[in-house]
Amino acid sequence: MIPSAFTFYKPENIEKAVSLMVDFGDEARVIAGGHSLIPVMKQRLTDIKHLIDLSGINEIKGIEITDNRISIGAMTTQVELINNEELFKKAPIIREASLQIADPQVRNLGTIGGNVANGDPANDMPGLMQLLDATYKLSGSKGVRDVKAREFYEGAYFTVREDDEILISISFEAPSGGYAYEKQKRKIGDYATAAAGVILKVENNMCSSASIALTNLSDTPVYCNKAVDIILGKEIDNNILTQVTEACVEQSDPVADQRGPVEFKKYVAGIVIKKALTRAIERT
Amino acid sequence: MEKINVIMTVNGKEETLSVEPRTLLVHALREHLDYTGAHIGCSSSHCGACTIDMNGKSVKSCTVFAPQAEGSEILTVEGIGSPDKLHAIQEMFKEHHGLQCGYCTPGMIMRSYRFLQENPNPTEEEVRFGISGNLCRCTGYQNIVKSIMAAADKIRDEANVEKKEIA
Ligand SMILES: Cc1cc2nc3c(=O)[nH]c(=O)nc-3n(C[C@H](O)[C@H](O)[C@H](O)COP(=O)(O)OP(=O)(O)OC[C@H]3O[C@@H](n4cnc5c(N)ncnc54)[C@H](O)[C@@H]3O)c2cc1C
């Protein structure tokens, strides 16, 4: 499978990349690891005349940790996220989730920036970023701006990113408490049938903080604000976990596809949510 | 479409290719440089038959455009051993019958080559996770895993002998 022809650019800084995006408008696209983009180009589902490779821009690579603030350059690869010990100490859920993405070869090239900017509801990182309440930094012709991950996604492949904007980094506070990212997939290397992430704190058997998010259970990642409201300040018992799980499933809105019908996906959602809650509580 | 020059080092030799930007690395290797070791299986980055080593990492060469590989160090199965001097991994695939039709073998070997450098002393489960991006439709993986475990032993033994000789 061979994509249609394009011209190739490899700018060495963000300003040049943005100015190429401005010049070429919607005929241009940036490429990061290429592991979502190249497959759709091969299927000719998208017509790109100008391809702008971000791999020459060093300022958007790498992981920076200052106190409890973590900032990750958009061009940081999934394998770099997995192997970074400092990041693992501060936010172990990143490694746990990244290891459930694709396979070793894909993780060697796939980037966090491409994963969150793509807008595919099947990608795992956007859900994770809902969970962490992350902030995305975008750079475009009108300057640099911050957008909350929870406000970034509008629909499948639609985000608030403007055509000439490039995602440069992702930042969040190091989470504290128990955590879990549970993903049900048909095989290694597959996208989620349903996945759920949980971070929570329990003090004196009461839930003192919580965050819950879902992957591939709607046309955008889902932050389960209703479930969070239910669990906050409550004593953790089976009854409350059932209520929380039901509230999450209620907020999901999956579509039928090759991974199964809606009823099945909601059923699997209930299982991964319960599992994630249980494991997060065990880890507090 | 206009062609561009791409320079990369393949199996230790610097190569300059004149390609269309849309040329996939696997086609550049096979059709422009005649390294037909990297196979095209699914062409959608699932099967791993096109796995090569790029800058010390395993990648699927069907999902990289040739200009993305500009300046990189590439290693294909042709670069790790030859018919009269097989690499330990190739020898163990032969000895333990780690293949049937052989189509996935170059990708399996190239992934094992890098995996055993990342993890020289793996458990069987780690081997299975390590090669989870490579599909084989013949063997059921049994003998592939056996071959990689045996190769790990052999590479460690060879390294020990070398250490003793130096001492
Ligand atoms: C076999 C296979 C299995 C996979 N399984 C999973 C999985 O289980 N879970 C999962 O989450 N993903 C999975 N993926 C996708 C993989 O993780 C991708 O690498 C990732 O989604 C995109 O990252 P990338 O760097 O490859 O981006 P690219 O493919 O280069 O880009 C993706 C899109 O984002 C845009 N983009 C990229 N970077 C930026 C930026 N900095 N600013 C603005 N726009 C940008 C591009 O223009 C493009 O539209 C799988 C991929 C394959 C091939």
Side-chain angles (χ1 to χ4, degrees), chain A residues 201 206-210 227-235 244:
Chain A
K201 253 200 240 173
M206 292 245 279
C207 178
S208 57
S209 75
V228 168
D229 287 345
I230 294 174
I231 199 171
L232 272 182
K234 299 282 171 41
E235 210 167 294
V244 169

Side-chain angles (χ1 to χ4, degrees), chain A residues 1 3 35 42 103 105 108, chain B residues 22 43 51 58 60 62 134:
Chain A
M1 286 186 286
H35 274 59
K42 285 184 179 180
D103 60 47
Q105 287 96 315
N108 277 336
Chain B
R22 63 172 163 171
S43 196
T51 299
S58 307
K60 293 178 178 173
C62 79
N134 295 72

Side-chain angles (χ1 to χ4, degrees), chain B residues 57-70:
Chain B
K57 285 196 197 92
S58 307
V59 306
K60 293 178 178 173
S61 59
C62 79
T63 309
V64 177
F65 289 122
Q68 289 180 285
E70 165 78 34

Side-chain angles (χ1 to χ4, degrees), chain A:
Chain A
M1 286 186 286
I2 298 166
S4 54
F6 54 81
T7 46
F8 185 83
Y9 306 83
K10 192 171 169 183
E12 62 273 23
N13 59 49
I14 282 289
E15 292 70 38
K16 283 206 182 126
V18 168
S19 91
L20 287 165
M21 299 277 273
V22 171
D23 289 351
F24 299 128
D26 60 9
E27 292 194 332
R29 199 71 89 75
V30 297
I31 183 165
H35 274 59
S36 286
L37 188 58
I38 296 177
V40 293
M41 290 174 73
K42 285 184 179 180
Q43 294 171 58
R44 306 220 176 181
L45 294 174
T46 172
D47 190 23
I48 295 166
K49 300 256 183 326
H50 305 277
L51 196 61
I52 303 165
D53 183 2
L54 299 180
S55 71
I57 309 177
N58 288 326
E59 60 196 293
I60 59 172
K61 291 180 190 164
I63 301 165
E64 251 176 61
I65 303 177
T66 15
D67 301 325
N68 272 333
R69 192 81 196 162
I70 296 164
S71 176
I72 302 175
M75 285 299 288
T76 307
T77 61
Q78 291 154 9
V79 79
E80 286 164 351
L81 298 176
I82 292 167
N83 290 341
N84 190 298
E85 289 303 328
E86 276 306 295
L87 181 64
F88 179 65
K89 271 187 221 144
K90 293 278 182 186
I93 194 164
I94 303 269
R95 181 183 288 176
E96 175 157 305
S98 301
L99 279 170
Q100 298 180 63
I101 293 177
D103 60 47
Q105 287 96 315
V106 175
R107 294 194 292 266
N108 277 336
L109 290 180
T111 65
I112 187 170
N115 200 296
V116 305
N118 196 23
D120 181 348
N123 279 139
D124 288 287
M125 294 279 173
L128 193 60
M129 296 306 140
Q130 307 301 302
L131 196 61
L132 293 163
D133 194 15
T135 301
Y136 299 166
K137 200 173 269 309
L138 302 166
S139 183
S141 61
K142 297 201 193 90
V144 176
R145 63 171 176 143
D146 285 339
V147 179
K148 288 292 215 182
R150 289 180 190 167
E151 285 155 19
F152 187 74
Y153 301 94
E154 298 180 315
Y157 299 100
F158 283 96
T159 69
V160 303
R161 187 180 66 80
E162 299 287 339
D163 277 347
D164 68 13
E165 282 182 316
I166 292 172
L167 173 72
I168 53 179
S169 70
I170 293 148
S171 63
F172 51 88
E173 286 297 315
S176 59
Y179 67 91
Y181 190 78
E182 283 282 348
K183 175 172 169 180
Q184 173 63 42
K185 50 187 192 269
R186 296 171 300 181
K187 59 175 272 293
I188 285 193
D190 191 20
Y191 291 94
T193 302
V198 172
I199 297 176
L200 55 72
K201 253 200 240 173
V202 180
E203 285 161 311
N204 307 322
N205 206 31
M206 292 245 279
C207 178
S208 57
S209 75
S211 184
I212 308 172
L214 309 176
T215 292
N216 219 6
L217 285 165
S218 186
D219 65 344
T220 62
V222 179
Y223 174 64
C224 302
N225 58 321
K226 289 180 189 149
V228 168
D229 287 345
I230 294 174
I231 199 171
L232 272 182
K234 299 282 171 41
E235 210 167 294
I236 303 282
D237 56 23
N238 260 333
N239 179 32
I240 197 82
L241 293 185
T242 304
Q243 278 182 49
V244 169
T245 304
E246 278 168 6
C248 291
V249 175
E250 183 74 22
Q251 257 191 295
S252 76
D253 186 17
V255 288
D257 60 15
Q258 74 274 27
R259 293 186 182 83
V262 170
E263 296 75 8
F264 174 68
K265 289 192 172 180
K266 289 207 170 206
Y267 175 75
V268 178
I271 292 172
V272 291
I273 294 158
K274 196 71 169 276
K275 269 191 173 174
L277 283 165
T278 310
R279 216 146 49 84
I281 291 164
E282 278 166 16
R283 280 169 163 170
T284 53

Side-chain angles (χ1 to χ4, degrees), chain B residues 6-19 23-38 52 61 66 69 72-76 78-79:
Chain B
V6 175
I7 302 174
M8 51 182 131
T9 305
V10 184
N11 298 329
K13 194 164 156 244
E14 189 176 290
E15 306 276 5
T16 305
L17 292 90
S18 173
V19 292
T23 307
L24 294 161
L25 181 56
V26 69
H27 292 134
L29 293 170
R30 292 175 57 87
E31 289 154 26
H32 293 252
L33 300 173
D34 225 13
Y35 288 119
T36 54
I52 53 141
S61 59
S72 65
E73 293 268 345
I74 306 275
L75 197 59
T76 71
E78 289 92 343

